[in-house]
Each structure stands twice: as C-alpha cells, then as structure tokens.
Amino acid sequence: MKKLIPLLILLFLFTGCSTDDQNGGHSVTINLSVSDEVKASFESDGRLYVFLNQNLQVEPMDQIWPYPGRMSQIFAINRTGISPDGNITLEPNDDWTKTADWTFANVPEGQYNIQILWDQDKSESRINAPGNLYSEKQKITITNSTEVDVTIDRAIAERELAESELLHLVDFKSDTLSAWWEKPVHLKASVLLPANYDASESYPIRYNVAGYGGRYTRVNNLVNSSDFIDWWRSDEAPRVINVFLDGEGPFGDSYQMDSENSGPYGHALIYELIPHIESEYRGTDTATTRFVDGCSTGGWVSLGLQLYYPDHFNGVFSYSPDAIEFENYQLINIYEDENAFINEFGYERPVMRSTVGEPMISLRDFIAYENALGDSDTYLNSGGQFSAHTALYSPRGENGLPKPLFHPTTGEIDREVAEHWKKYDFKIYAEENWSTLGPKLQDKIYIWMGDMDQFYLNPATRAFSEFLESTDQPASDAEVVFTPMAGHCEQFSHKTVLMQIQERLREIEQ
C-alpha cells in the first residue's frame, strides 16, 4: 500500500445559504495528498488545477479545450512555498480563476469525475508538460455536502518516438533563440526517411507543420499505423524525406515565425534548423525540391512560410488555415469592431459551429478556458490558441506578456494593437509586396478550405482568394479550392499531401 503524505487540504465550507439550497448546490471538501512515488520530484511553486467533468468516459484534465459535451470545468489558482509535508487550507473565497458559474461552496448535484493537476513545469507552455504531477480520475456523486480524498501519485512521462529504423529525432540548440532568451533553447523535430534510404543520394523534402500545438512525436501515429507504414514502404510512395516540426513555443504554438514576444522562431527555422536537418539527412540544400504543408494552425504556418520566405520553399499545401487576414479574424473584423465577444447586432459572437451552422460555443466562453489555463489568470500565457496568436501578432506588453488585442474579460478591442497585427495579415502583406513577391509565388500555392469550417475560417480564405484573383503583373496562378458543406481539415491526409508533392515533382522535372 502506498504511504500518503498530506500535501494540501482544501476545505470548502458550506454556510447553509438559502440561495445555495434553491440552486441545488452543495459544498465539496477535497482532502489532497501526495504519494511517496512522486514526492521527490515535487516543486514548491506552481499552479493548482481542479477539473470536474460530468462526462464520465473522459479524462478530465485532457478536456481543457472547450469542445461542447466533453469539456471539464476548470478551477485554477497559483500557489508558492508549498511543501509536500505541509498542509494548507484554500477557502471558497480564495481568488480562483474558473470556467464554472458556481463555486465549490455550491456545486450542482450530479455525478462527476474529479482530477487534480499540479503544474510545476517551467520549460513548456502547456499543462501536459512532462514532469507535471496529477491524480487519477475518480467518480464522485454530489447529492449533499461531500468530502473527497484525492491523491497526487502520477507524473506526466517524457515524450518518446516510436521504434523504427526510418525514424530519427532532431534535438537542436538554436544559437539565435538562445541568445534572444539568454538561456539554452532547443528546437525538436522528427525525421521519417523513405524506404531504402541511401545516405549517398539526395532527396526532396517535406516540412509538415502540425495543427495547434502538435508535437514532433505525432509521427508515431503514422509509424504505428499499418495502413500508412505498409504504403510508405511500397513502391507507390514517393521517395521524400518527411520532417515533422514541433509546435512548442513560449506562449503556446510558436507558429514557426518571428515574434516580438516569443523571439526569432522563423529565422531559427529557416537559417538554423533546416540547414542542420538537410546537412544530416538530405544530401542537398536546394529549395527546388523543398515543400511545406499543414492543416489548421499548420495551414496558416505553411502558407506564411511560403509567403514570407518565398525563395526557401517551392510549394505549399495549406489546408483549413487559421484566419489569414484579419478583417475576418474568424467572425471579428479587428480593424473596425469594438468588441471581440459581442457582434454588431448585440449578440454573443460564436467561435465554433457545426457543419450545418449551429453555434457550439461562444468566444467569451472559449477565452474563459484560456484565462483559467494561464498563470497570469488571462489568455495571454495560457498556452492556448489565442495566447499563441497574441504572442505572434502583438507588441510586447507588461510583465513579459504580449499586449492583448482584446480585454480578457470584457472583450474590448485595442485599436492600437490591431494596427500592429497588420504585419501578419497575409492579404495586406501580399498586396503591399506583390510586385516582388508575386513572381516568386508562381506555381507554388495550393490552398484547400471547407465552406462550413467549424471555426469560421473560410471567410478569411475567401477574402485572400479574391485578392489573388485580382492580381496582375503577374496574375496569380494559385489554386484555392473551396468544398461546399465541408468542415475543418476534412480533406487533409498525409498520403494526400505526399501524392500532391509527387505530382509537383513531376511538374518540376518537365
């Protein structure tokens, strides 16, 4: 039997207020302890998360992205000087940042899975970082005032690549980023070689950018898929080196671009990481057979890399990109709208819908989740999507945080910050630089978008497509495909992109 060391005792005392009775709420007392197995790795400073989820089939701490029907309610608070041998009482009136509209003194009746995470990692931006400590999920039933014993006895494991002679890890120290941050900064990637790889040959190369926050270990899904790996080893598969870039950055996904807040990630990729990888594996450094692709965040990044570094890639395959111009930042016109949460008609602005158009979650609620995840109690360092966007597009603000486009709780838009975002508005950038940029993009751009994208990304892609259609000297030959009633990333697959690259290689050879 594990010996349990008292760590934290959270006492949430119910006062018998009639309002709580009328709302059917009850107090919950959580007695929290830490096991010997993780005591030695426990750090005294961190952020404590309590997750409650009424979907009993899911792991509560994995449901932090506010997807309707499975999202957890999050309660978070920063704590310092905690000892694994000590006790502390957190009262109901402590300053929790939370997503629920109720408190621990008034938990609605029902069945929940509860889970607790101690975020003590300082090296990664998201709470699923290796070394963070957590409890096993456990079911509780709230029908009256309840006391629950929870034990932190697990640590998030280090990431590992699957076993394959074709798969290799790249762990590269960036001099540029290390100098910028004044500490060692490493960039990671995974390299999947073609079957019958011969180090004496030179190869085309594909740089894949993940959907939001995707890590270099996502290649494991391909290597462990018999369908993909059997095809990859067959004569049908193109002989192309695949590089899976890592999405980690200081404020969430780095977006592989230069940022006033995260640092020169674009420079580090183009002038440090890519030359390193290609000197190790590729046998050539020509851009003629270098391609980039991705979906969602990867769709934005891949298109951005082709636009901002046009001489370094000879084709982009961008699927369902994040908003690529900001008159349509999802449903927000950042240059004209006054508020991100409320539209011009006075309604809550949705951030997600079904493919038949039903709104699924509001931007206000989405940001509430990111506010809970950030130890600033705002989305500015949540590690989530809007944290990363703000870090990339915004100027530096106070306390080392990016300056927000919109207020974390009111949604009011800062017009000065909106002007600053223009540097990564692809339509503005392409329009202002078309005379020199246009010739370098010929035969290089393929974009796919579903016309019922769940995140309202199609209006921005439409606007960008209309700009491309209006160009001359040269007239753009970009291929932008819209599929009616299709949703987010619906047609993206690694096989599809690899065959598109194969076709592009045939065109180059002609």
Side-chain angles (χ1 to χ4, degrees):
M1 179 179 293
K2 298 177 181 177
K3 180 181 178 183
L4 302 182
I5 309 294
L7 168 63
L8 305 171
I9 299 179
L10 285 68
L11 299 178
F12 301 102
L13 304 178
F14 179 49
T15 62
C17 171
S18 60
T19 302
D20 290 347
D21 289 336
Q22 291 169 3
N23 291 339
H26 302 281
S27 67
V28 174
T29 301
I30 305 174
N31 302 314
L32 183 61
S33 56
V34 63
S35 70
D36 279 342
E37 285 78 0
V38 298
K39 179 183 176 184
S41 62
F42 183 84
E43 300 289 342
S44 61
D45 297 346
R47 187 166 175 87
L48 179 71
Y49 293 90
V50 180
F51 305 96
L52 290 173
N53 199 314
Q54 289 192 286
N55 184 338
L56 303 181
Q57 307 305 312
V58 300
E59 194 87 354
M61 74 178 195
D62 291 342
Q63 309 305 315
I64 60 174
W65 198 86
Y67 188 89
R70 68 185 186 198
M71 55 191 178
S72 296
Q73 298 294 351
I74 305 174
F75 293 78
I77 195 168
N78 297 331
R79 304 301 301 182
T80 59
I82 302 299
S83 168
D85 298 311
N87 301 323
I88 188 170
T89 299
L90 301 180
E91 300 289 353
N93 60 357
D94 281 334
D95 193 17
W96 290 94
T97 299
K98 59 189 181 70
T99 59
D101 58 4
W102 37 266
T103 71
F104 283 114
N106 185 26
V107 180
E109 290 188 358
Q111 288 188 323
Y112 299 83
N113 273 337
I114 186 172
Q115 196 165 31
I116 290 176
L117 180 136
W118 179 244
D119 182 0
Q120 59 182 12
D121 170 76
K122 306 300 181 187
S123 62
E124 294 193 8
S125 62
R126 278 155 283 186
I127 67 172
N128 64 348
N132 281 342
L133 307 178
Y134 66 100
S135 69
E136 182 180 8
K137 71 177 182 181
Q138 65 187 82
K139 185 172 74 174
I140 60 174
T141 301
I142 306 298
T143 57
N144 49 41
S145 294
T146 303
E147 185 170 335
V148 183
D149 296 325
V150 181
T151 303
I152 291 179
D153 59 357
R154 299 163 186 238
I156 297 175
E158 294 293 330
R159 297 179 180 86
E160 295 182 351
L161 287 181
E163 292 291 333
S164 172
E165 79 280 7
L166 300 178
L167 186 58
H168 298 269
L169 170 67
V170 175
D171 187 344
F172 174 79
K173 181 184 175 183
S174 165
D175 291 339
T176 302
L177 287 168
S178 297
W180 200 88
W181 281 100
E182 299 182 341
K183 65 179 182 180
V185 176
H186 286 248
L187 299 174
K188 292 187 176 182
S190 55
V191 176
L192 180 64
L193 300 173
N196 303 315
Y197 170 78
D198 184 343
S200 67
E201 295 184 22
S202 60
Y203 290 88
I205 194 163
R206 166 211 183 192
Y207 289 88
N208 172 259
V209 187
Y212 188 80
R215 306 306 303 267
Y216 63 95
T217 48
R218 67 188 180 280
V219 69
N220 292 349
N221 296 326
L222 296 179
V223 173
N224 292 329
S225 165
S226 59
D227 176 66
F228 178 85
I229 206 66
D230 289 348
W231 174 78
W232 185 240
R233 293 181 183 276
S234 72
D235 293 338
E236 180 187 350
R239 301 196 75 213
V240 174
I241 294 173
N242 290 266
V243 178
F244 298 87
L245 298 176
D246 192 50
E248 171 60 17
F251 295 92
D253 202 301
S254 72
Y255 275 66
Q256 312 296 334
M257 301 289 270
D258 291 347
S259 159
E260 293 180 29
N261 296 284
S262 297
Y265 272 82
H267 181 94
L269 171 66
I270 299 298
Y271 299 107
E272 293 182 313
L273 183 62
I274 286 178
H276 170 74
I277 290 173
E278 297 187 4
S279 68
E280 291 288 318
Y281 297 103
R282 191 185 177 200
T284 180
D285 62 357
T286 176
T288 304
T289 53
R290 183 187 297 133
F291 309 97
V292 64
D293 76 281
C295 191
S296 192
T297 290
W300 189 98
V301 174
S302 58
L303 182 58
L305 290 172
Q306 184 67 81
L307 292 175
Y308 287 74
Y309 301 95
D311 297 324
H312 290 265
F313 300 95
N314 202 21
V316 57
F317 304 93
S318 170
Y319 286 76
S320 301
D322 288 359
I324 55 181
E325 61 89 47
F326 300 146
E327 290 180 8
N328 297 279
Y329 181 57
Q330 296 181 276
L331 293 179
I332 308 166
N333 182 334
I334 73 167
Y335 309 122
E336 295 185 3
D337 289 338
E338 299 294 330
N339 192 285
F341 297 159
I342 303 295
N343 69 15
E344 61 183 303
F345 307 107
Y347 285 90
E348 287 284 329
R349 182 174 277 119
V351 73
M352 186 179 181
R353 64 177 171 183
S354 72
T355 53
V356 296
E358 287 286 356
M360 299 172 72
I361 189 167
S362 69
L363 178 59
R364 187 191 302 274
D365 287 344
F366 196 103
I367 294 299
Y369 273 77
E370 290 208 22
N371 288 341
L373 292 172
D375 66 10
S376 64
D377 296 317
T378 73
Y379 68 89
L380 297 178
N381 65 345
S382 68
Q385 187 99 55
F386 286 88
S387 171
H389 285 179
T390 308
L392 178 60
Y393 306 144
S394 287
R396 299 192 75 175
E398 299 176 355
N399 302 319
L401 297 174
K403 196 168 183 180
L405 172 69
F406 55 86
H407 191 276
T409 56
T410 69
E412 182 180 358
I413 291 174
D414 186 322
R415 192 69 58 227
E416 182 179 339
V417 174
E419 286 294 309
H420 201 82
W421 279 39
K422 285 183 175 179
K423 68 181 183 297
Y424 281 127
D425 183 315
F426 289 176
K427 188 176 73 172
I428 291 175
Y429 178 79
E431 189 171 23
E432 291 180 346
N433 295 279
W434 189 253
S435 61
T436 56
L437 182 62
K440 297 181 178 182
L441 297 178
Q442 295 299 87
D443 302 321
K444 292 185 179 182
I445 295 180
Y446 173 86
I447 304 171
W448 180 89
M449 175 60 73
D451 250 336
M452 287 302 291
D453 186 274
Q454 281 93 332
F455 303 100
Y456 302 96
L457 300 175
N458 48 306
T461 303
R462 282 279 181 192
F464 188 67
S465 177
E466 289 168 2
F467 159 73
L468 292 175
E469 292 169 0
S470 74
T471 56
D472 57 17
Q473 299 182 352
S476 173
D477 64 355
E479 185 176 357
V480 187
V481 178
F482 293 89
T483 300
M485 300 306 295
H488 192 64
C489 291
E490 195 170 291
Q491 293 194 7
F492 175 85
S493 79
H494 292 280
K495 279 188 182 181
T496 297
V497 169
L498 284 162
M499 296 311 291
Q500 287 175 303
I501 290 173
Q502 181 84 303
E503 182 61 29
R504 178 81 175 115
L505 288 168
R506 292 191 183 115
E507 294 172 356
I508 292 169
E509 291 171 0
Q510 292 176 357

